[in-house]
């Protein structure tokens, strides 16, 4: 592998093409593990990513053996990926048979699986570290600096892809929440109009009735409004109660 290797260019083009609004994140990360194995000439690659609680989870692996080893690493809370994530720094071990008591459970299992050397790289963007990449080899030795630099670049691509997916999802959630609020507001306005006409009261009075019923029964105002509009709830024309201030619509003081 060299900087001029056309496979590197092709891999980055392929990965960049997946960074669109509707891309499949899991498929993207799986492809990235395969390209990492191919370009760095390592035996296997795995990706661990932290959830919203900061707990690492396996999200992609280049093989089933790699997947099982990564899960073992998580279950036993020890291993190079966890160290890299916690220290936000690369972790290198050229010979897992000589780690002593550093990873007493993980190292023997990795050797039993067929891996003898490992390089873990943090997945980070500026001050944020969201996971780590594990690179395993079946022979003793360290990756050369050029390979490590390329591996970090691929880890950075994975980080950008994950953060973009999270940003898109967060934006969609915000838009959905806003649309939900707008829809609720329209429904409440309809209920106010229905009550005002049905009970021959003012719009402010009808809103007070809606709010009193909502609070007394611990119902959401939107649900009460929906029942009124749908004819499932019939309120009586009584004076809205005072609750420390006049019972008025906050949008129509």
């Amino acid at each position: 592998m060299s900087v001029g290797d056309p496979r590197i260019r092709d891999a980055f083009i392929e990965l960049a093409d997946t960074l669109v609004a509707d891309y499949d994140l899991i498929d993207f990360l799986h492809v990235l593990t395969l390209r990492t194995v191919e370009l760095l000439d390592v035996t296997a690659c795995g990706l661990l990513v932290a959830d919203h609680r900061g707990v690492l989870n396996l999200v992609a692996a280049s093989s089933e053996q790699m997947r099982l080893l990564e899960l073992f690493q998580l279950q036993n809370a020890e291993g190079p990926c966890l160290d890299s994530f916690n220290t936000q720094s690369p972790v290198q071990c050229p010979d897992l048979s000589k780690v002593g008591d550093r990873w007493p459970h993980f190292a023997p299992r990795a050797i039993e699986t067929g891996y003898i050397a490992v390089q873990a790289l943090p997945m980070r963007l500026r001050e944020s570290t969201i996971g780590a990449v594990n690179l395993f080899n079946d022979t003793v030795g360290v990756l050369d600096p050029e390979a490590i630099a390329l591996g970090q670049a691929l880890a950075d691509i994975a980080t950008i892809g994950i953060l973009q997916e999270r940003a898109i999802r967060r934006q969609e959630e915000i838009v959905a929440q806003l649309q939900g609020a707008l829809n609720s507001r329209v429904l409440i306005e309809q209920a106010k109009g229905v009550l005002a006409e049905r009970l021959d009261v003012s719009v402010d009075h009808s809103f007070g009735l809606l709010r009193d019923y909502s609070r007394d029964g611990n119902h959401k105002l939107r649900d009460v409004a929906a029942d009124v509009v749908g004819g499932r709830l019939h309120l009586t024309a009584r004076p809205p109660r005072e609750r420390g201030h006049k019972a008025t619509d906050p949008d129509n003081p």
Side-chain angles (χ1 to χ4, degrees):
M1 186 275 300
S2 67
V3 175
D5 191 330
R7 293 179 303 167
I8 297 177
R9 177 201 61 208
D10 294 342
F12 275 92
I13 291 174
E14 178 185 17
L15 293 171
D17 282 346
T18 66
L19 295 177
V20 295
D22 296 327
Y23 80 106
D24 185 328
L25 179 62
I26 298 301
D27 182 63
F28 163 75
L29 295 176
H30 179 67
V31 169
L32 188 138
T33 63
L34 298 179
R35 296 296 170 264
T36 299
V37 168
E38 176 186 350
L39 294 174
L40 302 187
D41 195 25
V42 293
T43 308
C45 173
L47 295 179
L48 300 181
V49 174
D51 60 19
H52 65 283
R53 299 168 297 172
V55 178
L56 285 175
N57 294 268
L58 174 67
V59 293
S62 60
S63 68
E64 179 62 15
Q65 282 185 322
M66 180 78 258
R67 186 184 74 84
L68 295 175
L69 181 59
E70 293 287 43
L71 290 175
F72 182 84
Q73 178 178 194
L74 291 173
Q75 291 167 356
N76 288 275
E78 66 170 48
C81 235
L82 278 77
D83 289 356
S84 180
F85 174 71
N86 291 328
T87 63
Q88 303 183 22
S89 303
V91 172
Q92 189 176 73
C93 179
D95 190 344
L96 286 166
S97 67
K98 298 179 180 179
V99 297
D101 60 357
R102 184 179 185 183
W103 303 316
H105 299 94
F106 174 79
R109 176 58 67 91
I111 294 171
E112 179 184 323
T113 304
Y115 307 126
I116 192 63
V118 62
Q119 170 80 56
L121 300 169
M123 296 173 63
R124 62 192 178 201
L125 182 64
R126 301 184 183 92
E127 301 301 318
S128 298
T129 299
I130 66 169
V133 178
N134 257 345
L135 307 172
F136 284 91
N137 258 322
D138 55 10
T139 57
V140 172
V142 298
L143 294 178
D144 61 63
E146 191 175 84
I148 293 175
L150 178 55
Q152 188 63 65
L154 291 167
D156 293 343
I157 283 285
T159 303
I160 292 170
I162 292 169
L163 292 179
Q164 173 177 284
E165 193 271 344
R166 289 180 179 177
I168 291 172
R169 187 170 65 242
R170 189 176 303 116
Q171 182 62 32
E172 289 175 345
E173 290 173 354
I174 292 172
V175 170
Q177 290 171 355
L178 177 59
Q179 188 59 52
L182 293 175
N183 292 341
S184 295
R185 189 67 225 179
V186 169
L187 194 57
I188 291 168
E189 292 299 327
Q190 290 174 341
K192 286 162 58 178
V194 168
L195 283 179
E197 181 178 359
R198 182 185 299 163
L199 303 178
D200 192 23
V201 297
S202 70
V203 172
D204 283 346
H205 190 125
S206 65
F207 178 75
L209 295 175
L210 287 170
R211 195 181 64 169
D212 281 347
Y213 188 89
S214 170
R215 292 183 175 182
D216 289 346
N218 196 27
H219 304 300
K220 290 185 178 179
L221 189 58
R222 183 191 188 283
D223 294 338
V224 174
D227 286 343
V228 169
V229 172
R232 296 179 295 274
L233 176 63
H234 300 280
L235 300 181
T236 58
R238 57 180 175 79
R241 293 191 301 278
E242 295 287 340
R243 296 180 181 272
H245 56 83
K246 187 179 179 180
T248 58
D249 183 343
D251 288 347
N252 295 286

